[in-house]
Amino acid sequence: MRTVGQWRLGETGGSYFCNMAAEMDGPLKRALVPLLLPEKCYDQIFVQWDLLHVPCLKILLSKGLGLGIVAGSLLVKLPQVFKILKAKSAEGLSLQSVMLELVALTGTMVYSITNDFPFSSWGEALFLMLQTVTICFLVLHYGGQTMKGVTFLVCYALVLLLLLSPLTPRALVTLLQASNVPAVVVGRLLQAATNYQNGHTGQLSAVTVFLLFGGSLARIFTSIQETGDPLMAGTFVVSSLCNGLIAAQLLFYWNAKAPHEKKKQ
């Protein structure tokens, strides 16, 4: 038998550890719920210690991947922007391809906002859209069409505001998202054709292309898990295939140089 002193010490120690667990539980719960886990999954994993609860682990993986993609999207196209600015040229970039990619990103963003999908399932579309608009302007600017570039920016902003307004029918938004598949396919094929005709990839950024490829692959899983929307998931399947084609061309033309670069050498 334990003495009274031992019993009290045990009680005190138990209370101390319980208090410590309670103190740690508060900040941890605030950090994870609802950003990465619903409350029932938090209780399942961190209260009941069911660490192999598959449905909750899928949610945690999907949310983590989604937020990682959104965070990474802040930098995905910046290498492309900086490469154009440094070269003062957009050679090798197909304006039609960039425009079609912008249409696809806009469709995904508007469709997701309209359907109240979690930000972690589509947030990168917002940041990629802003960077793609910048690239569109730079392609026009370095092509000697600066005023056309400014007009494009104004017109795009007005169209985006209209699409996000209550005046736009939901059916039109769904149609816009459905048009993403042909837009992505045609856009990437145009870029692939430009690369093939030039025999090089010009100012196309390898970092940007490979990040887009990896992001679209991960988005197939997160779209199925977080939205359950076959239209969204299908779009990312097609996007992954098309981004994979451009990535393969980059590897194939890795040592090929543009004609003006050869002359400089």
Side-chain angles (χ1 to χ4, degrees):
M1 288 182 64
R2 291 189 296 175
T3 64
V4 175
Q6 289 173 324
W7 180 263
R8 285 177 179 169
L9 182 63
E11 275 188 340
T12 305
S15 300
Y16 173 74
F17 287 118
C18 285
N19 289 337
M20 273 189 66
E23 287 174 6
M24 289 176 64
D25 181 64
L28 182 63
K29 191 170 185 176
R30 284 194 296 272
L32 296 179
V33 179
L35 187 63
L36 290 174
L37 284 171
E39 189 166 359
K40 62 180 181 180
C41 277
Y42 176 87
D43 292 339
Q44 189 77 35
I45 295 174
F46 294 99
V47 177
Q48 299 179 31
W49 292 104
D50 185 4
L51 301 178
L52 298 177
H53 192 269
V54 175
C56 288
L57 289 177
K58 281 185 177 180
I59 293 173
L60 182 61
L61 176 61
S62 177
K63 289 284 188 182
L65 270 176
L67 291 173
I69 293 169
V70 172
S73 69
L74 290 167
L75 304 173
V76 164
K77 293 202 171 190
L78 287 185
Q80 182 67 80
V81 172
F82 293 145
K83 192 168 184 179
I84 294 172
L85 291 172
K86 183 179 179 181
K88 291 184 169 50
S89 167
E91 182 186 3
L93 272 76
S94 166
L95 178 61
Q96 292 84 358
S97 174
V98 178
M99 290 280 197
L100 285 168
E101 185 179 359
L102 181 61
V103 169
L105 288 168
T106 304
T108 297
M109 184 179 70
V110 173
Y111 181 73
S112 300
I113 292 172
T114 303
N115 286 282
D116 293 322
F117 291 152
F119 184 72
S120 59
S121 70
W122 62 269
E124 80 279 3
L126 170 62
F127 301 117
L128 290 176
M129 177 270 290
L130 293 171
Q131 293 167 68
T132 305
V133 165
T134 303
I135 292 170
C136 283
F137 173 76
L138 290 174
V139 172
L140 290 168
H141 171 65
Y142 287 117
Q145 299 177 304
T146 304
M147 283 308 299
K148 187 182 277 189
V150 173
T151 304
F152 160 74
L153 292 178
V154 173
C155 291
Y156 178 75
L158 292 174
V159 169
L160 185 59
L161 288 172
L162 180 61
L163 288 172
L164 290 172
S165 75
L167 299 172
T168 305
R170 185 180 286 263
L172 180 61
V173 173
T174 303
L175 180 63
L176 182 62
Q177 174 64 16
S179 71
N180 278 4
V181 173
V184 168
V185 171
V186 174
R188 288 308 186 199
L189 288 179
L190 283 171
Q191 183 62 61
T194 300
N195 294 340
Y196 177 75
Q197 288 170 1
N198 291 340
H200 61 83
T201 54
Q203 300 307 318
L204 204 60
S205 167
V207 175
T208 294
V209 169
F210 287 119
L211 285 176
L212 286 173
F213 179 48
S216 58
L217 280 175
R219 268 292 173 224
I220 298 172
F221 171 72
T222 61
S223 296
I224 293 170
Q225 181 66 35
E226 294 198 49
T227 70
D229 191 304
L231 192 55
M232 285 278 284
T235 301
F236 286 115
V237 169
V238 174
S239 180
S240 296
L241 292 172
C242 294
N243 286 331
L245 172 63
I246 304 300
Q249 281 191 315
L250 266 167
L251 292 174
F252 183 77
Y253 292 121
W254 191 262
N255 293 317
K257 296 186 181 297
H260 72 275
E261 290 180 340
K262 291 179 182 177
K263 289 178 183 177
K264 285 179 183 178
Q265 291 178 350

